[in-house]
Amino acid sequence: MTERSTLRLTAAALPRLRERGEVAVPDYDRSAITAGIAHVGVGGFHRAHQAKAIDDLLRAGLARDWGIVGIGLMPGDAAMRDALAAQDHLYTLVEKRGDTDLQARVIGSIVDYLFAPEDPGVVLERLADPAIRIVSLTVTEGGYNINQVTGEFMLDDPHVAHDLGSEVPETVFGYITAALRLRRERGIRPFTVMSCDNLQDNGVVARRAILTFARAKDPELADWIGAHVAFPNSMVDRITPVTTDADRAALADGFGIEDAWPVVAEPFFQWVLQDTFTDGRPPYEEAGVQVVTDVTPYELMKLRLLNSSHQGLCYFGALMGYHYAHDATMNPLVSRLLLEYMEREAGPTLRPIPGIDLEVYRPQLIERFSNPAIGDTVARLCAESSDRIPKWLLPVVREQLERPDPQVALSAAIVASWARYAEGVDEQGRPIDVVDRLKERVMAAAARQGEDPLAFLRDEELFDDLADRPAFTGPYLRALGLLHEVGAEKTLEAVLDDLP
């Protein structure tokens, strides 16, 4: 490659990139930005939404005291620390509208990154800094340590148990609680805890987790947190696939930027945020964020339509041999499954959604899923199913089962496709790499399906009493049997043909 074709992304490269005019770069003085937000879990999802929104505000001359300091708690987070540190905490966001329609911008809103295992004390002091007024989270759906059936925080988790007995925390609960204790002792106002994970009532879930941990550690501190700390609910919608080497190469070839860890996302962006904060917030509405009093209708729409539909396409798609989500979605049987599920089963469980027309939203989701430029993989959507299915799909099932004429045939088929997927081999005889924190458990249950067809459903932590609900087990067993007898495509044909 020529010198013109590649520039390693650093602060020193910004003037050259600005001259080229091919990518938008920060036009503000980053040295004048102070961190007001500490974000735990800096991955693609955070960098495609909150960090992008703050960058929008900074470019508009706003939020100069709301820069972001990233915090990594897991050993694997060292890779993100190293990638960002080598680039002065800059990275590139690439929006893909089509195979050749790409727009790139350099994001400058992350001003620092701390790797907690390296020096926990530094992280605690940063969280106790009065300048930090929001601690935001993308720690994954399973990162809140909540029992899937009871909804209770699990104090017996080994890492939680460690933090309860130590002054050097390992978990997000331990760090937040210890930092709030320091702030209380020093007379500093507490920060807001802002969850951005794909959980219904994510602020409520975060509050329950933190308060339960804090109460076990220091009941008086827990009372203070409960009285003074805000936990707003939020909903974020932006498909953000895992960054690949092909994405890095495309960025270098198309824009002349060498970026160790760029982010790729679809053009669609929606962030709905409850306006409940302890000590102020950025003017998020100036960056296209919907700041509302009640997030619930919007989050239910996303979790039960978008996220559940992802589960609807991924297991069937994987069994049929599809690698990419867009290829699976373009199978007319898969797209029909998703549209019928959204209209018949999930849609009736939603509340009125101000400003949203579901007749437009549903086909828009299919269009978004079908975007080949995103390159989202079926495997990514299939990962961590034991965290996703109980939180996204099963609430639809439970609400439907309370109705006089429950509609659960398509939900049952989706759960059956997960049960078949968890057997670990696709219809071509190729092994499936099941990625799940409960991998051994779900695969062991799937292996018993030959002798007990309901074996997969008998895990009450995941499914509660669904194995004893004939309205659900009837269509579930039929779909599971068909998956074994005739395969995924014929199963979809049969299930869809059965619809009234």
Side-chain angles (χ1 to χ4, degrees), residues 107-161:
I107 303 293
S109 55
I110 297 177
V111 297
D112 197 3
Y113 188 98
L114 304 178
F115 181 56
E118 191 172 65
D119 196 334
V122 169
V123 172
L124 285 174
E125 285 299 321
R126 193 60 173 270
L127 291 175
D129 186 338
I132 298 299
R133 285 154 287 161
I134 295 174
V135 174
S136 54
L137 312 174
T138 47
V139 294
T140 76
E141 300 82 16
Y144 293 81
N145 193 43
I146 299 294
N147 182 286
Q148 305 285 11
V149 173
T150 66
E152 298 301 316
F153 183 78
M154 296 183 289
L155 289 168
D156 58 352
D157 175 87
H159 299 287
V160 168

Side-chain angles (χ1 to χ4, degrees), residues 45 198 235-240 266 268 270 298-314 338 341-342 346 350 358 361-362 364-366 368-369 376 380-381 392-393 396:
F45 192 53
N198 281 321
M235 183 276 274
V236 185
D237 186 359
R238 191 170 217 196
I239 298 173
T240 309
E266 64 172 340
F268 184 90
Q270 185 181 28
Y298 301 91
E299 66 186 2
L300 286 178
M301 177 187 73
K302 178 178 184 267
L303 296 172
R304 298 186 180 188
L305 299 185
L306 184 148
N307 293 121
S308 289
S309 292
H310 267 160
Q311 307 313 114
L313 77 87
C314 71
L338 304 185
Y341 160 77
M342 287 189 277
L350 302 180
L358 292 180
Y361 184 80
R362 289 192 298 262
Q364 184 183 46
L365 285 181
I366 301 301
R368 291 168 61 194
F369 294 169
D376 204 3
R380 184 187 80 88
L381 301 181
W392 300 343
L393 184 72
V396 171

Side-chain angles (χ1 to χ4, degrees), residues 321-401:
Y322 290 113
H323 180 72
Y324 289 108
H326 63 265
D327 287 329
T329 308
M330 285 189 281
N331 181 309
L333 289 170
V334 173
S335 60
R336 186 183 166 204
L337 167 71
L338 304 185
L339 286 168
E340 295 281 7
Y341 160 77
M342 287 189 277
E343 182 173 0
R344 292 169 178 265
E345 301 187 12
T349 73
L350 302 180
R351 303 179 188 179
I353 311 161
I356 301 292
D357 183 349
L358 292 180
E359 295 295 328
V360 174
Y361 184 80
R362 289 192 298 262
Q364 184 183 46
L365 285 181
I366 301 301
E367 181 181 348
R368 291 168 61 194
F369 294 169
S370 302
N371 183 352
I374 296 300
D376 204 3
T377 64
V378 167
R380 184 187 80 88
L381 301 181
C382 288
E384 306 302 340
S385 305
S386 64
D387 288 325
R388 296 177 172 185
I389 288 284
K391 293 183 177 70
W392 300 343
L393 184 72
L394 297 189
V396 171
V397 172
R398 293 190 184 98
E399 285 200 32
Q400 281 285 357
L401 289 176

Side-chain angles (χ1 to χ4, degrees), residues 39-47 70-73 77 113 136-139:
H39 183 81
V40 181
V42 177
F45 192 53
H46 164 71
R47 294 187 293 147
I71 295 177
L73 302 184
D77 291 333
Y113 188 98
S136 54
L137 312 174
T138 47
V139 294

